């Protein structure tokens, strides 16, 4: 018999909307950077800490609605759905699906590449609902452990000289 899982994501007045943002400037054109980061199904191709993903139901990983699934030792650790993308403007938006590694809700992330006087700025950001107690953990896990680590890898990749 399947027992329904209790929803432990935050609700109520303590579940404020929060913002997470990391960025870096690279000495490359936005098109060059987008060529490296723009594939929703190719995060592990440039991010050294993310395991390769598969696409749920074997679908096209670049199609709107595609769900990328990350597994470690055969266990699903994250699922993310592609919601929007604009390849001409160099951005895509996705949301976290169960299992969510932290008790956050309505997590909506955007990976974008913008023109910058020194080349291209990569901005990885998210809005989500969460309590004050979980905000620091979210900053650490997603902001530093995922976003900043990926951006550092891009800086190394696009370093001149």
């Amino acid at each position: 018999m399947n027992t329904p899982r209790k929803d432990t994501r935050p609700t109520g007045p303590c579940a404020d909307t929060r913002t997470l943002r990391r960025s870096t400037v690279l000495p490359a054109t936005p098109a060059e950077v987008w060529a490296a980061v723009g594939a929703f199904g190719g995060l592990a191709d440039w991010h050294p800490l993310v395991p390769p993903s598969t696409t749920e139901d074997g679908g096209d990983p670049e199609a709107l609605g595609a769900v990328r699934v990350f597994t470690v030792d055969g266990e699903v650790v994250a699922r993310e759905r592609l919601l929007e993308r604009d390849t001409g403007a160099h951005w895509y938006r996705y949301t976290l699906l169960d299992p969510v590694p932290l008790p956050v809700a309505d997590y909506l992330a955007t990976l974008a590449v913008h023109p910058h006087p020194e080349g291209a700025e990569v901005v990885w950001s998210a809005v989500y609902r969460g309590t004050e107690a979980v905000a620091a953990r979210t900053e650490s896990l997603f902001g530093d452990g995922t976003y900043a680590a990926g951006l550092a890898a891009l800086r190394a990749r696009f370093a001149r000289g």
Side-chain angles (χ1 to χ4, degrees):
M1 178 172 159
N2 288 342
T3 304
R5 260 181 37 180
K6 181 180 178 187
D7 190 349
T8 59
R9 291 175 293 189
T11 59
C14 293
D16 295 328
T17 299
R18 309 206 180 262
T19 302
L20 172 67
R21 184 182 192 276
R22 299 292 188 277
S23 67
T24 193
V25 174
L26 304 173
T29 67
E32 290 170 324
V33 176
W34 184 249
V37 303
F40 182 68
L43 183 59
D45 294 343
W46 60 270
H47 197 303
L49 303 179
V50 173
S53 64
T54 58
T55 305
E56 204 165 80
D57 301 326
D60 177 358
E62 306 311 313
L64 293 183
V67 175
R68 64 183 176 193
V69 179
F70 300 96
T71 59
V72 174
D73 296 329
E75 182 179 336
V76 174
V77 295
R79 293 173 60 240
E80 301 170 340
R81 179 183 311 276
L82 179 61
L83 299 175
E84 300 176 79
R85 79 178 302 119
D86 186 330
T87 55
H90 303 138
W91 63 267
Y92 66 76
R93 185 167 291 128
Y94 63 95
T95 189
L96 294 179
L97 305 172
D98 287 331
V100 177
L102 292 171
V104 298
D106 304 327
Y107 193 94
L108 184 62
T110 303
L111 181 63
V113 181
H114 305 290
H116 187 276
E118 296 175 30
E121 181 182 28
V122 182
V123 178
W124 205 345
S125 62
V127 294
Y128 65 95
R129 283 188 310 111
T131 63
E132 185 69 32
V134 80
R137 290 176 44 215
T138 304
E139 285 284 336
S140 177
L141 178 66
F142 290 128
D144 299 333
T146 303
Y147 294 10
L151 296 175
L154 289 174
R155 279 193 304 277
R157 178 177 184 158
F158 285 97
R160 293 221 169 124

